Amino acid sequence: MPARWAAADMAGQHGRTALVTGANSGIGFHQVLELARHGACVLLASRDPGRGQAARDAIMAELPAASVELVQLDLADLDSVARLAGRLLDRAGGLDLLINNAGLMAVPRRQVTAQGFELQFGTNYLGHFALTGRLLPALLRRPGSRVVTVSSLVHRLGSIRLDDLQSEHGYGPWRAYSQSKLANALFTEELDRRLRAAGAGPLSIGAHPGYSRTGLLSSGPRLGGGGGVSALVLRLGTRFAGQSAARGALPVLRAATDPQAHGGDYYGPGGPGSRAPPARSAPPARSATPGKPMTSSSPAASGRPPRHSPA
Ligand SMILES: NC(=O)c1ccc[n+]([C@@H]2O[C@H](COP(=O)([O-])OP(=O)(O)OC[C@H]3O[C@@H](n4cnc5c(N)ncnc54)[C@H](OP(=O)(O)O)[C@@H]3O)[C@@H](O)[C@H]2O)c1
């Protein structure tokens, strides 16, 4: 596997079926595009049928022979999660790859999901937690299957507030986002630990895109009228220091397809700055203690043996 990995270095994905959440825009769109270009049958999940159809049309215009199916999924509604998972479990063949990619960031005022969970925690983490759990039987059916969960560098600022997980007693747009992204990272590690303990085949792998120019910087703040100075600073910073959505998708794509990947690995830009090519880095997750910084853990520290994917 070359050190300077690019989408063209991806192994053929013929015969594999992948589901990408939040795939109508940003880095998710480019994950679908490249997986489909390399032969995978891709389920493009979008909460909005119109935006999903426009994304699929754009991919089919570039890759007329691609196999891309639009599926509806609103992660802020656990009934929608259950509906999609039920449909996919009814299909023959199973699932080779689930990419938990969708997200929203920095919603200015506290909002809740259909079931009453704080919106960022509910969408970014709980929706994906429920989706992964429901789809595990489909993943277990396929040798070499993977779950890739997208976190963020911002997880380092987060803590899991077990005493106020839903931000009912105090809400901060960035605090809720960083908590949700830390939860994504912890989920990746814990899923890996449980799959190993059960001797199960699927790998759980984490990834982050660095800073990428996508709709993420505006979609959350739009829900509440702007996002304030911090959102503006981040938008400006990302405009100058960030990378394209296509490049931001690369760490996720490498995590999803690298034959050398181990369960519990974490992929991101492999150097200072977001524009470095994707590479494996130390896993980010930290043990959850409410209100306290969390301590690092790594496969070496935890004594876990590396587990390779046959894919
Ligand atoms: N861009 C960055 O610099 C950056 C950095 C670190 C981590 N990330 C992570 O990368 C992932 C992708 O974000 P992006 O940067 O590509 O942003 P994006 O362009 O805004 O894409 C986010 C996707 O998530 C979807 N989504 C939001 N709420 C949803 C819901 N309730 N149900 C289903 N889908 C929903 C959005 O759908 P709509 O189009 O309908 O809103 C959109 O398709 C996120 O997990 C984000 O946290 C991004």
Side-chain angles (χ1 to χ4, degrees):
M1 191 62 58
R4 295 188 65 79
W5 196 89
D9 296 312
M10 190 191 301
Q13 299 296 309
H14 298 273
R16 301 190 85 210
T17 300
L19 169 64
V20 181
T21 70
N24 58 275
S25 68
I27 66 170
F29 174 86
H30 289 277
Q31 291 159 38
V32 176
L33 182 66
E34 293 306 329
L35 288 166
R37 194 193 303 282
H38 287 80
C41 166
V42 192
L43 305 170
L44 183 163
S46 172
R47 62 176 160 172
D48 181 90
R51 287 197 287 274
Q53 189 60 50
R56 183 180 181 278
D57 289 349
I59 289 170
M60 297 312 290
E62 186 166 339
L63 306 170
S67 174
V68 178
E69 182 185 339
L70 176 60
V71 294
Q72 208 266 332
L73 172 67
D74 183 353
L75 287 153
D77 181 353
L78 295 175
D79 292 337
S80 169
V81 172
R83 267 195 303 277
L84 176 62
R87 269 187 56 204
L88 298 186
L89 289 176
D90 282 346
R91 290 156 63 132
L95 187 64
D96 298 276
L97 175 62
L98 166 62
I99 303 186
N100 290 325
N101 167 77
L104 84 171
M105 179 174 83
V107 178
R109 277 180 293 282
R110 185 177 185 275
Q111 298 187 32
V112 294
T113 66
Q115 284 75 28
F117 299 108
E118 185 280 315
L119 189 60
Q120 295 184 74
F121 191 70
T123 304
N124 301 355
Y125 171 59
L126 290 176
H128 283 128
F129 172 88
L131 182 67
T132 306
R134 287 186 178 274
L135 288 177
L136 260 187
L139 290 154
L140 287 165
R141 264 190 254 153
R142 299 290 295 166
S145 61
R146 295 183 186 192
V147 179
V148 176
T149 301
V150 179
S151 182
S152 164
L153 287 170
V154 169
H155 85 272
R156 291 184 191 147
L157 308 175
S159 60
I160 304 292
R161 301 168 68 214
L162 294 175
D163 52 347
D164 189 19
L165 215 43
Q166 304 304 329
S167 303
E168 288 163 299
H169 304 294
Y171 177 78
W174 295 103
R175 192 166 63 186
Y177 179 67
S178 56
Q179 173 176 255
S180 75
K181 290 285 123 180
L182 177 57
N184 286 144
L186 290 167
F187 171 68
T188 301
E189 282 208 347
E190 182 60 15
L191 180 61
D192 171 58
R193 194 186 68 75
R194 290 187 184 216
L195 288 168
R196 284 168 189 266
L203 302 183
S204 169
I205 302 175
H208 77 90
Y211 295 106
S212 307
R213 293 185 295 274
T214 67
L216 191 72
L217 299 168
S218 47
S219 60
R222 245 197 337 260
L223 290 176
V229 176
S230 50
L232 182 66
V233 169
L234 195 65
R235 255 201 308 277
L236 286 173
T238 304
R239 181 175 299 172
F240 295 114
Q243 59 186 341
S244 66
R247 285 192 69 86
L250 292 180
V252 185
L253 287 166
R254 190 165 186 180
T257 62
D258 188 345
Q260 308 300 324
H262 306 150
D265 279 349
Y266 188 58
Y267 285 74
S274 275
R275 291 174 184 159
R280 213 163 12 199
S281 60
R286 298 171 294 167
S287 64
T289 310
K292 275 194 178 175
M294 298 175 176
T295 50
S296 283
S297 70
S298 68
S302 64
R304 290 177 314 195
R307 203 155 58 97
H308 290 270
S309 164

